[in-house]
Amino acid sequence: MRGEGCCPTMDLMRSEEMQLVQIIIPIESSHLTLSYLGDLGLLQFKDLNADKSPFQRTYATQIKRCGEMARKLRYLKEQMVKAGIAPSSLPQAPPKLDLDDLEITLGEMEAELIEVNANSEKLQRTYNELLEYNHVLQKAGEFFHTAQRSAVAQQSESEGQQSAESSLESPLLHEQEMSIDPSKQVKVGFISGLVPKEKAMAFERILFRATRGNMFLRQEPVDTPVTDPVSGEKVAKNVFAVFFSGERAKTKILKICEAFSANRYPFPEEFGKQLQALEEVSGRTKELKTTIDLGLLHRESILKNIASQYEQWSYLVRKEKSIYHTLNMLSLDVTKKCLVAEGWSPVFAANKIKDALHRATLDSNSQVGSIFQVLQTKEAPPTYFQTNKFTTAFQEIVDAYGVAKYREANPGVFTIVTFPFLFAVMFGDWGHGICLFLCTLILIIREKKFSSQKLGDIMEMMFGGRYVIIMMSIFSIYTGLIYNEFFSVPFELFGKSAYACRDPSCSDATTAGLIKVRRTYPFGVDPEWHGSRSELPFLNSLKMKMSILLGVAQMNLGIILSYFNAKFFRNSINIWYQFVPQLIFLNSLFGYLSVLIIVKWCTGSNADLYHVMIYMFLSPTDDLGENQLFPGQKTLQLVLLLLALVSVPWMLIPKPLLLKKQHEQRHQGHNYTALESTDESVEIEQASHENNSHGHGEEFEFSEVFVHQLIHTIEFVLGAVSNTASYLRLWALSLAHSELSTVFYEKVLVLAWGFNNVVILIVGIIVFVFATIGVLLVMETLSAFLHALRLHWVEFQNKFYEGDGYKFAPFSFALISEEEE
């Protein structure tokens, strides 16, 4: 154990050492203490009031108050969004805000904005009504002027003494009333207004049916859409004037106007009054426009003032709410006027926490200081790895499978290298790798800009894993150079090919017509192997055998890590009866196969490794013949086969027997009670608990333990075979990626080039680019990523990683900025 106050190890291999602490805080300094601890962010509080509902807790009122302020802030933000004003993200150093003052300020701002909005809406509605009234005066006036001109032309000289009112009305109803005796004419009324254009036809039909044809309707469309005073939306409308006779008809027409959302406006019959009304409406419209503009400027100035301080206000409210949430988790001691807190913290943070407590005591002028003490407990501590922006994404890959148990070996440190490398083995093409690298480089160069923006789900995922992707692209460039593939095309980057045609007749460049004329190609696959008939078996063999080597190496690493786990937790049973036989079994079979592959590569032998491995089991005593790679191979195979057979019962039988023996020894003196529990006895008890990892409590069922061990043994033996075969996906996906790339190049780009037509060439280039991006850079990237994920989660981590821990979640203000209210 490190001493208190030591620096953090920054060791990804093991999580930080944790301790359960108790803090007794005076009530008068509790708020400031939590504030300082939140700034520190190294203490995870336990809920000591889990049996109480949120409404029964001490600070429920304060939380409700913060919630109300959060509601006001949301309202202010909605208003800023509607006005197109973004909250200021510039760092400022305003004077310290008090929560009470902020509550008053938010209340005043909300009330002022509500009043300003109400006045603005009222003025805007009046303004829209005046605009509609102006259209009615213009269009309906044209109705009457047209009717008047027609009446003057048709009236005879004997009718020249008629009143202006009848002369205005008679032409509109001329056809219906021409033959009626003037002495028997009835007074005709009219209603004018605007109706939505889409409802005009239905409006006319309903009016006709309701009045049984006893009406006359004139309509004229308005040139531009007008803003409806009620809905505030732009609507295409018609100006209408409907003439009727009688109060009963008028009542029906008014109801129909309401049903069709037709806004009605008064229209004077006399021409002079029409001009006067038009002038008044125009004047009032200009005045209202000026008033509305001034109101909008005032509203904008209010919102800009809010925007400059919104982030600080929002942060303060979230901070205060989190403080009171945490205070509600503490136990209240009324008699001693203090709060009792318990929580987990890293061992290295002890002095930092004590300093924060001391500063809170001084700044709050408390007469009594806080008490900090470490508690002894058998609870499993949380797991805490200190990561940075580069290692965080790799650690998240591991945590997605399961959080490491406390102090368990962490696969994240190996994932930083192995994950992008296994991806690159499947994705190997240095042309595609460069494309992936350049795209990811943009995210890294502009990470400050992107980190402050809200991105979509897919873009957010890519941005979060930008360092994983750039590592994947770098490794893809490396493996692509080894495969010598640039969009499936080979290049002589590191020198001339070692092979050349024996004579001009070897145009197909087969191995039968090629001879070695210079030294071996210095790095990667010789470019002459691409395009030859022997390319497929050669690259197949290379990638397949390389997949087996990588798989066996990674599985051995997993078993070695299980040894370090057992050694760290002082579990000697797992060391000798799990780690050792597993390592022997795996390497007696697949480790031996890996050695044969390397020997065959070094010697250039034509031995059939399939035949060697199959007959190692079927006929272990037969002579190897031409498949022998080195002297003594037959004897070595017999020894390895014997070790593989012995390791199976070695894994199965001894461990349950030893666990039973340990259980009996622990309970021989169970009738005696210890007088005192010392630190040493606690350590011994914890060690014995680790040894009895199967966890059967006081009752030990040998049959259950034996069955459990049998399952683990069968799982490992079968898994060793299936996991090794699973690594062949590295070969399969690499081959698929290469073949797809070749198809797009030869069947699209080269084929389009062969037509000697510019249009076909451009189309071919476009198809090639989209196919490369859509299939190879998106779908193939995702496919290789998921397969690399599976190889780490299943084939690698299941050898040693339990992943049954839980994350360290400290009380930290640095984390609340991402939370949504």
Side-chain angles (χ1 to χ4, degrees):
M1 297 284 289
R2 296 193 306 272
E4 289 186 359
C6 290
C7 296
T9 61
M10 288 298 289
D11 181 15
L12 279 176
M13 190 65 186
R14 302 281 179 193
S15 60
E16 291 292 338
E17 292 183 38
M18 307 295 290
Q19 59 186 2
L20 182 64
V21 301
Q22 184 184 66
I23 306 175
I24 301 175
I25 310 170
I27 289 180
E28 62 269 16
S29 65
S30 59
H31 185 278
L32 196 58
T33 299
L34 267 292
S35 179
Y36 288 166
L37 290 177
D39 290 331
L40 188 61
L42 288 172
L43 183 61
Q44 175 179 328
F45 288 92
K46 294 177 65 177
D47 190 357
L48 303 180
N49 298 315
D51 56 332
K52 294 183 180 179
S53 68
F55 302 104
Q56 294 174 327
R57 304 200 180 198
T58 308
Y59 297 95
T61 304
Q62 286 82 350
I63 291 177
K64 183 179 179 181
R65 185 180 164 201
C66 291
E68 178 62 20
M69 284 191 281
R71 182 198 62 77
K72 293 177 181 178
L73 283 168
R74 287 195 298 272
Y75 172 77
L76 298 180
K77 188 173 183 179
E78 288 172 3
Q79 296 301 311
M80 287 189 290
V81 169
K82 287 180 181 178
I85 299 173
S88 176
S89 58
L90 296 175
Q92 297 180 2
K96 291 206 172 188
L97 293 170
D98 181 74
L99 194 65
D100 296 330
D101 295 338
L102 178 60
E103 186 177 24
I104 295 171
T105 302
L106 291 177
E108 292 174 350
M109 290 290 183
E110 183 187 33
E112 186 175 6
L113 270 178
I114 290 174
E115 184 180 359
V116 168
N117 289 337
N119 292 336
S120 178
E121 289 175 4
K122 188 175 180 181
L123 290 173
Q124 190 66 46
R125 179 167 182 169
T126 305
Y127 177 74
N128 293 333
E129 288 176 349
L130 288 174
L131 289 179
E132 285 195 343
Y133 192 19
N134 188 43
H135 286 298
V136 170
L137 290 173
Q138 291 178 0
K139 296 293 182 180
E142 292 178 7
F143 297 162
F144 282 85
H145 297 327
T146 303
Q148 188 177 23
R149 286 194 298 268
S150 178
V152 171
Q154 294 179 10
Q155 286 175 340
S156 61
E157 294 180 1
S158 61
E159 295 172 340
Q161 301 301 321
Q162 289 181 345
S163 63
E165 182 177 324
S166 64
S167 67
L168 288 175
E169 294 178 356
S170 59
L172 293 175
L173 302 177
H174 179 73
E175 295 179 1
Q176 291 89 342
E177 299 179 357
M178 184 66 71
S179 60
I180 299 177
D181 188 352
S183 62
K184 297 181 180 179
Q185 289 182 2
V186 180
K187 178 70 175 179
V188 176
F190 67 93
I191 296 173
S192 59
L194 289 95
V195 65
K197 194 172 184 179
E198 60 182 11
K199 300 179 180 179
M201 295 297 293
F203 180 67
E204 184 174 357
R205 285 197 301 270
I206 296 297
L207 284 175
F208 184 83
R209 292 176 182 175
T211 59
R212 297 182 179 181
N214 295 319
M215 64 90 194
F216 181 76
L217 177 68
R218 288 289 303 272
Q219 295 190 72
E220 185 71 26
V222 180
D223 298 333
T224 58
V226 296
T227 305
D228 189 78
V230 178
S231 64
E233 297 178 355
K234 290 282 187 180
V235 182
K237 292 190 175 184
N238 288 353
V239 174
F240 71 89
V242 55
F243 296 85
F244 59 88
S245 175
E247 287 298 322
R248 189 173 179 181
K250 180 179 180 180
T251 304
K252 290 180 179 180
I253 293 171
L254 289 176
K255 290 181 179 180
I256 294 170
C257 288
E258 291 178 2
F260 279 84
S261 302
N263 299 327
R264 295 172 287 105
Y265 297 95
F267 185 81
E269 299 180 17
E270 297 181 6
F271 182 70
K273 291 183 179 180
Q274 293 174 20
L275 293 177
Q276 183 180 357
L278 194 60
E279 290 178 2
E280 289 179 359
V281 168
S282 299
R284 288 186 61 193
T285 303
K286 292 179 181 178
E287 292 175 1
L288 273 178
K289 179 63 175 173
T290 304
T291 305
I292 289 171
D293 290 341
L294 291 174
L296 291 175
L297 288 174
H298 177 59
R299 181 173 179 267
E300 185 178 2
S301 65
I302 295 172
L303 292 175
K304 285 183 177 178
N305 182 35
I306 294 171
S308 64
Q309 305 176 74
Y310 176 82
E311 292 295 340
Q312 298 147 10
W313 292 349
S314 179
Y315 175 76
L316 178 61
V317 171
R318 292 198 303 268
K319 176 181 175 181
E320 291 294 321
K321 190 174 182 180
S322 66
I323 288 175
Y324 287 119
H325 265 302
T326 307
L327 286 171
N328 272 340
M329 297 168 67
L330 310 187
S331 176
L332 176 63
D333 191 334
V334 182
T335 58
K336 297 180 181 179
K337 297 182 179 179
C338 63
L339 292 169
V340 180
E342 289 184 10
W344 295 100
S345 73
V347 173
F348 72 82
N351 284 341
K352 294 180 181 179
I353 294 174
K354 290 177 183 177
D355 290 341
L357 297 176
H358 181 65
R359 284 189 293 112
T361 302
L362 294 178
D363 293 347
S364 62
N365 298 320
S366 176
Q367 300 298 321
V368 182
S370 299
I371 301 173
F372 177 91
Q373 57 186 355
V374 179
L375 301 179
Q376 298 296 329
T377 180
K378 293 182 181 179
E379 294 182 44
T383 302
Y384 176 41
F385 294 106
Q386 295 199 78
T387 57
N388 52 41
K389 62 182 181 180
F390 178 79
T391 59
T392 296
F394 293 98
Q395 188 62 51
E396 289 297 327
I397 289 175
V398 176
D399 291 345
Y401 176 81
V403 179
K405 186 173 66 176
Y406 177 63
R407 306 294 286 165
E408 182 181 17
N410 180 26
V413 66
F414 304 98
T415 303
I416 295 173
V417 176
T418 58
F419 186 86
F421 181 69
L422 291 184
F423 169 87
V425 171
M426 295 178 275
F427 193 76
D429 186 302
W430 62 279
H432 298 151
I434 289 174
C435 294
L436 203 61
F437 177 82
L438 293 176
C439 293
T440 314
L441 193 61
I442 296 173
L443 296 178
I444 293 176
I445 292 173
R446 307 182 69 182
E447 65 181 10
K448 288 186 178 178
K449 178 182 178 182
F450 287 127
S451 61
S452 61
Q453 295 178 349
K454 284 190 175 181
L455 308 173
D457 292 339
I458 297 176
M459 193 64 184
E460 186 74 32
M461 183 174 59
M462 290 181 60
F463 179 73
R466 59 194 181 278
Y467 290 105
V468 177
I469 300 174
I470 202 164
M471 287 290 287
M472 287 157 45
S473 64
I474 292 171
F475 278 88
S476 296
I477 295 172
Y478 170 73
T479 54
L481 291 172
I482 291 178
Y483 297 156
N484 199 352
E485 291 185 353
F486 179 83
F487 296 100
S488 79
V489 180
F491 283 89
E492 294 182 339
L493 290 176
F494 302 101
K496 292 289 185 180
S497 170
Y499 299 92
C501 284
R502 179 180 300 160
D503 52 60
S505 64
C506 65
S507 57
D508 291 338
T510 62
T511 52
L514 292 175
I515 58 172
K516 191 171 183 180
V517 296
R518 57 180 66 88
R519 290 186 303 172
T520 303
Y521 193 69
F523 185 84
V525 176
D526 193 294
E528 282 296 333
W529 286 99
H530 288 267
S532 67
R533 285 199 293 266
S534 60
E535 172 199 0
L536 188 61
F538 174 77
L539 288 182
N540 265 349
S541 177
L542 171 68
K543 293 178 180 180
M544 180 178 65
K545 292 173 181 176
M546 186 175 64
S547 299
I548 294 173
L549 293 177
L550 291 174
V552 173
Q554 192 172 35
M555 288 191 292
N556 270 290
L557 176 61
I559 297 175
I560 292 170
L561 288 175
S562 71
Y563 162 75
F564 283 110
N565 269 343
K567 187 175 180 181
F568 182 83
F569 292 116
R570 299 176 182 178
N571 194 338
S572 58
I573 292 180
N574 281 349
I575 292 176
W576 293 107
Y577 302 103
Q578 181 172 312
F579 160 71
V580 174
Q582 285 180 353
L583 199 63
I584 291 174
F585 179 84
L586 180 66
N587 289 290
S588 296
L589 303 179
F590 302 105
Y592 174 61
L593 174 61
S594 301
V595 172
L596 292 180
I597 290 172
I598 295 172
V599 171
K600 182 178 178 181
W601 280 349
C602 294
T603 60
S605 171
N606 292 323
D608 187 353
L609 300 186
Y610 298 104
H611 184 278
V612 172
M613 294 303 297
I614 290 172
Y615 283 92
M616 177 180 172
F617 292 91
L618 296 181
S619 302
T621 58
D622 288 355
D623 191 16
L624 295 175
E626 61 180 9
N627 290 323
Q628 183 167 339
L629 290 168
F630 54 87
Q633 182 178 351
K634 179 180 176 182
T635 304
L636 178 61
Q637 288 185 180
L638 289 171
V639 173
L640 292 176
L641 183 59
L642 181 63
L643 288 174
L645 295 175
V646 169
S647 61
V648 176
W650 189 355
M651 281 186 281
L652 175 61
I653 299 172
K655 187 174 178 179
L657 294 174
L658 287 171
L659 289 174
K660 182 180 179 182
K661 182 179 178 181
Q662 284 186 355
H663 177 79
E664 291 173 351
Q665 289 176 350
R666 266 199 313 273
H667 292 82
Q668 279 180 354
H670 195 273
N671 293 330
Y672 297 94
T673 304
L675 295 176
E676 187 177 2
S677 177
T678 62
D679 292 340
E680 185 179 356
S681 66
V682 172
E683 291 180 2
I684 293 173
E685 185 177 355
Q686 289 178 349
S688 65
H689 177 71
E690 289 292 341
N691 285 333
N692 189 15
S693 57
H694 294 278
H696 296 280
E698 293 298 321
E699 296 183 2
F700 184 85
E701 293 291 341
F702 178 78
S703 59
E704 292 184 11
V705 176
F706 186 82
V707 170
H708 186 269
Q709 189 62 25
L710 177 63
I711 293 171
H712 273 283
T713 303
I714 295 173
E715 182 182 18
F716 177 80
V717 171
L718 297 180
V721 179
S722 64
N723 291 165
T724 305
S726 186
Y727 277 95
L728 292 176
R729 70 184 66 238
L730 297 173
W731 158 54
L733 266 76
S734 175
L735 181 63
H737 184 87
S738 177
E739 289 301 311
L740 278 173
S741 184
T742 302
V743 167
F744 292 148
Y745 174 72
E746 293 182 354
K747 302 302 181 183
V748 177
L749 198 60
V750 175
L751 190 64
W753 182 272
F755 281 95
N756 293 324
N757 187 299
V758 177
V759 176
I760 294 176
L761 180 60
I762 293 174
V763 172
I765 292 173
I766 293 173
V767 172
F768 176 76
V769 169
F770 278 95
T772 300
I773 294 173
V775 178
L776 298 176
L777 294 182
V778 177
M779 294 177 63
E780 281 288 303
T781 300
L782 181 60
S783 175
F785 180 91
L786 293 176
H787 283 283
L789 202 63
R790 184 241 154 79
L791 289 175
H792 279 77
W793 281 357
V794 180
E795 279 71 25
F796 174 51
Q797 291 179 191
N798 71 350
K799 301 292 185 298
F800 68 98
Y801 188 64
E802 294 185 18
D804 57 353
Y806 63 101
K807 271 188 178 181
F808 175 60
F811 168 60
S812 174
F813 297 143
L815 303 177
I816 64 171
S817 59
E818 300 177 1
E819 296 178 0
E820 295 184 0
E821 291 292 339

